[in-house]
Amino acid sequence: MMTTRRLLMVACMSVAGGACAADFADPVRMEAGGEPIKVEAPGYAAPCWDDIDGDGDKDLLVGQFRDGKIHVFRNQGDGTLAAGEFLQAEGETAIVPGVW
């Protein structure tokens, strides 16, 4: 029986040229407002990039399991992100309903 590691190696070798499509850059700690981005416990974050403010730069949105809130870290256009704020709807913190 092949181990998961061996299966992955076989899959990678079958890609054209032997290069594995799962090669990633080293991880980096994301910062916003000069501070590391942290998520609330239990930490089931769901990050995505989207231009939420329509300025042409993708902003970082991080959904949080707790209370269904979404942190928005606005792209400053210079490679940095502003400090996070919760997504607002009609002047109040938006809450995405869940099944918890």
Side-chain angles (χ1 to χ4, degrees), residues 15-100:
V15 175
C20 183
D23 288 340
F24 297 100
D26 291 335
V28 296
R29 181 174 299 267
M30 297 291 298
E31 291 188 358
E35 298 288 325
I37 294 175
K38 298 178 185 175
V39 296
E40 296 176 1
Y44 301 113
C48 71
W49 293 95
D50 192 40
D51 182 12
I52 196 164
D53 53 13
D55 65 359
D57 296 315
K58 297 229 177 184
D59 307 299
L60 177 63
L61 288 80
V62 181
Q64 311 250 301
F65 179 78
R66 184 176 173 198
D67 298 328
K69 298 180 285 187
I70 299 173
H71 263 112
V72 177
F73 301 94
R74 296 185 190 274
N75 188 325
Q76 302 296 293
D78 62 359
T80 64
L81 299 170
E85 58 187 34
F86 286 118
L87 180 67
Q88 299 287 306
E90 298 180 0
E92 295 189 26
T93 299
I95 297 175
V96 179
V99 290
W100 50 82

